[in-house]
Amino acid sequence: MSSMRSLRGAWHFLTIFIFCYFNGGNSWVQGKCLNDQRALLLKLNESLHYMNVGSTEKFSSKRSSWNLNTDCCSSWDGIECDLAGHVISLDLTNESLWNIDDYNNLFNLQYLESLNLAHNFIHTQIPSGFQKLSNMRYLNLSNSGFSKQIPVEISQMIKLVTLDLSGNGNLILRDPDLETLIRNLTGVTELLLDGVKISEHGNKWCRTLSSSLPKLQVLSLSGCGLSGPLDSSLSKLQSLRKLLKL
């Protein structure tokens, strides 16, 4: 009897191991879409507008898969969920997106850990409200036409690991300044702000980075209007492995 139990236990363990192995250790396993999450995505979808091609609106290739009758976790492009069925990743890169009517439809996706709106044509100010996405670890708004002042609410996203606002030549970082933006983002390992108008002297911005971002690994700040020689305080960033552009 005990040998049979052992055999069943071994078989059960082997089944779990095979399942996990072929699903990347659960990294690609997703739960079934929850009704409230599907409803939030559909409301967001109604708020999205895309560039016109002639007289016809460009139909988003990702949005075309957002079908009410299919599972949003397994069948909708640009969507990933956790095992409980909460949406944790939204990827709308290169979708010719030019406007979001109501950002509250985005901020209500409060389980989001990753948001990518890169390579679009939004051409508005980054809205306030990003602090509502308190689980966010990866935020990429690069090359999307955002302009004017970066809102202070970004500084409240304390779980961020990657912050990419590069390629938005009309973005400004003055009030709040660089120090205010990053002083609470102590877990950031990648910071890309290429093209953002910062305009600070080397001594100040170097010391700001070295004191606020101890885990920083990748830094890119080309075309930011920074001046002065690099300060020795940057040597404190012992995890820094890529200083891409200055």
Side-chain angles (χ1 to χ4, degrees):
M1 182 66 71
S2 60
S3 61
M4 287 296 293
R5 289 174 180 168
S6 298
L7 184 60
R8 289 195 197 99
W11 178 252
H12 181 65
F13 174 82
L14 181 61
T15 302
I16 293 174
F17 175 80
I18 293 173
F19 179 79
C20 292
Y21 178 83
F22 285 101
N23 286 281
N26 279 342
S27 61
W28 294 104
V29 180
Q30 302 188 71
K32 186 176 180 180
C33 186
L34 297 174
N35 289 334
D36 69 309
Q37 298 291 285
R38 181 187 291 105
L40 289 172
L41 287 171
L42 290 173
K43 288 186 67 175
L44 173 63
N45 189 33
E46 293 174 357
S47 296
L48 303 179
H49 298 279
Y50 298 85
M51 290 288 289
N52 289 332
V53 180
S55 59
T56 305
E57 185 184 68
K58 177 186 181 298
F59 192 71
S60 163
S61 59
K62 291 176 181 174
R63 187 177 61 168
S64 64
S65 68
W66 291 20
N67 189 316
L68 179 61
N69 297 317
T70 59
D71 186 87
C72 70
C73 293
S74 60
S75 301
W76 294 17
D77 290 344
I79 304 297
E80 290 183 20
C81 302
D82 62 16
L83 290 175
H86 301 120
V87 175
I88 59 172
S89 179
L90 175 61
D91 183 354
L92 292 175
T93 58
N94 200 27
E95 287 290 291
S96 296
L97 181 66
W98 68 269
N99 191 29
I100 300 178
D101 280 344
D102 188 352
Y103 276 92
N104 285 323
N105 294 324
L106 173 62
F107 298 144
N108 285 333
L109 293 167
Q110 294 184 10
Y111 293 91
L112 274 184
E113 298 177 9
S114 175
L115 174 63
N116 196 335
L117 299 179
H119 299 286
N120 284 295
F121 305 94
I122 299 176
H123 292 295
T124 61
Q125 185 171 1
I126 297 174
S128 58
F130 269 96
Q131 78 281 3
K132 297 176 183 177
L133 299 176
S134 58
N135 294 305
M136 187 71 66
R137 295 173 55 82
Y138 176 89
L139 180 61
N140 188 343
L141 305 180
S142 64
N143 297 287
S144 291
F146 284 108
S147 61
K148 300 182 180 179
Q149 175 64 46
I150 296 173
V152 70
E153 286 82 4
I154 299 290
S155 68
Q156 299 173 33
M157 304 175 74
I158 60 175
K159 292 186 180 180
L160 276 181
V161 174
T162 296
L163 177 59
D164 189 351
L165 303 178
S166 61
N168 295 299
N170 292 315
L171 268 182
I172 302 170
L173 187 52
R174 291 178 185 150
D175 184 18
D177 59 7
L178 179 63
E179 180 179 8
T180 303
L181 179 71
I182 68 173
R183 64 187 174 195
N184 297 320
L185 306 183
T186 56
V188 166
T189 62
E190 297 187 37
L191 180 66
L192 300 96
L193 298 176
D194 304 270
V196 177
K197 295 177 175 63
I198 300 176
S199 302
E200 288 187 1
H201 192 274
N203 286 342
K204 183 177 181 181
W205 67 263
C206 289
R207 291 171 184 171
T208 294
L209 290 171
S210 62
S211 62
S212 299
L213 304 180
K215 299 179 181 179
L216 193 63
Q217 298 177 13
V218 178
L219 174 65
S220 192
L221 296 170
S222 67
C224 291
L226 300 173
S227 61
L230 295 180
D231 190 81
S232 61
S233 59
L234 282 181
S235 63
K236 296 179 181 179
L237 296 174
Q238 298 183 5
S239 298
L240 191 64
R241 55 183 173 80
K242 287 187 180 180
L243 188 59
L244 299 180
K245 299 174 183 177
L246 287 175

